[in-house]
Amino acid sequence: MTAIYNEKSTIAIMILAAGASTRMGTPKQLLLYQGRSFLQYTTEMAIASVCQPVVVILGANAEQIYPVIKQLPVKVVKNLDWSYGMNTSIKSGIEVLNNLPQKIEAVVITLCDQPFLSHQIINQLVDTYYSTKKPIIACEYAGTLGVPALFNQRFFSELAGLKETSGAKKVINNNLNEVFSIPFPQGKIDIDTPKDYEQFLSIIRAKN
């Protein structure tokens, strides 16, 4: 950890985990990876990073999913409007950040179904934010820019105002001149279907 951090870090992290996993047929937040659920793994990576606080947005199947993270030091938000799209979860998280007693300078937004996320990637976003002074730091993979990504608080209102089913990627694309990217080639691997999960497990078995 470099000297730019202190115990009262003002960079938060928001984990979006409110989706219904309709293509998976079962809550993908609870799929197993390294002996724990995807959501628990992602949340532990967030906790191990320099970001504080950690905010987890639940929605569909919240009662089933909540027990896997209830012992962890995180703020859990239940998005009752989850069925209207990812934009509603981002809005829920931004509202929480705006109402905290401390001033939040920036937020890292990430998903719970990118299993190769690590606390090192999260910290690299923060390091790059400080070193480049760019207000948006995005991950680059598969020829695109996406999450996990860091947004300075000046973009909070734009994030909270996303329409329909838009996600944070729309804010990245709307402000490309404000963006610096870091490579995260494994970010292209997310888990939406049973086939995705099987392919992912095959990759892990091959590595081991």
Side-chain angles (χ1 to χ4, degrees):
M1 192 181 297
T2 58
I4 56 176
Y5 307 118
N6 58 52
E7 290 181 6
K8 297 191 182 304
S9 169
T10 55
I11 297 186
I13 183 164
M14 182 194 309
I15 301 170
L16 304 178
S21 312
T22 48
R23 286 188 284 167
M24 181 63 65
T26 187
K28 61 185 175 184
Q29 297 92 329
L30 299 178
L31 293 175
L32 290 181
Y33 174 46
Q34 295 189 355
R36 52 223 198 269
S37 69
F38 271 176
L39 180 55
Q40 183 179 347
Y41 173 81
T42 302
T43 304
E44 288 176 357
M45 289 300 105
I47 292 167
S49 78
V50 296
C51 296
Q52 278 289 339
V54 178
V55 178
V56 180
I57 315 296
L58 299 183
N61 308 299
E63 288 74 19
Q64 187 180 351
I65 295 165
Y66 174 67
V68 305
I69 56 167
K70 69 177 182 180
Q71 303 297 334
L72 299 176
V74 300
K75 294 181 181 294
V76 178
V77 179
K78 186 172 180 183
N79 172 21
L80 299 177
D81 295 326
W82 63 267
S83 62
Y84 294 102
M86 192 179 294
N87 58 310
T88 63
S89 289
I90 294 173
K91 181 179 180 182
S92 297
I94 294 295
E95 286 175 352
V96 168
L97 297 181
N98 284 338
N99 286 309
L100 291 175
Q102 72 267 46
K103 185 178 187 300
I104 301 298
E105 180 182 342
V107 63
V108 173
I109 296 179
T110 192
L111 308 174
C112 71
D113 66 343
Q114 287 177 302
F116 290 109
L117 178 73
S118 65
H119 67 271
Q120 289 94 339
I121 287 290
I122 299 168
N123 289 351
Q124 190 179 350
L125 289 169
V126 177
D127 273 333
T128 306
Y129 168 72
Y130 282 119
S131 63
T132 66
K133 303 292 192 284
K134 282 285 193 177
I136 299 176
I137 312 296
C139 284
E140 184 174 358
Y141 45 85
T144 189
L145 299 176
V147 296
L150 180 151
F151 299 86
N152 179 272
Q153 59 88 25
R154 74 186 227 215
F155 293 99
F156 284 11
S157 59
E158 187 174 346
L159 286 163
L162 286 167
K163 302 299 182 188
E164 298 167 345
T165 58
S166 299
K169 189 171 180 176
K170 186 170 180 62
V171 176
I172 295 171
N173 290 334
N174 285 348
N175 300 278
L176 288 175
N177 60 324
E178 304 275 24
V179 179
F180 193 93
S181 66
I182 65 170
F184 178 32
Q186 290 176 311
K188 69 181 180 182
I189 297 174
D190 61 10
I191 312 298
D192 289 320
T193 66
K195 185 179 179 182
D196 292 341
Y197 186 46
E198 282 304 316
Q199 290 177 337
F200 166 67
L201 293 178
S202 296
I203 293 170
I204 297 302
R205 283 193 290 267
K207 284 188 171 185
N208 295 334

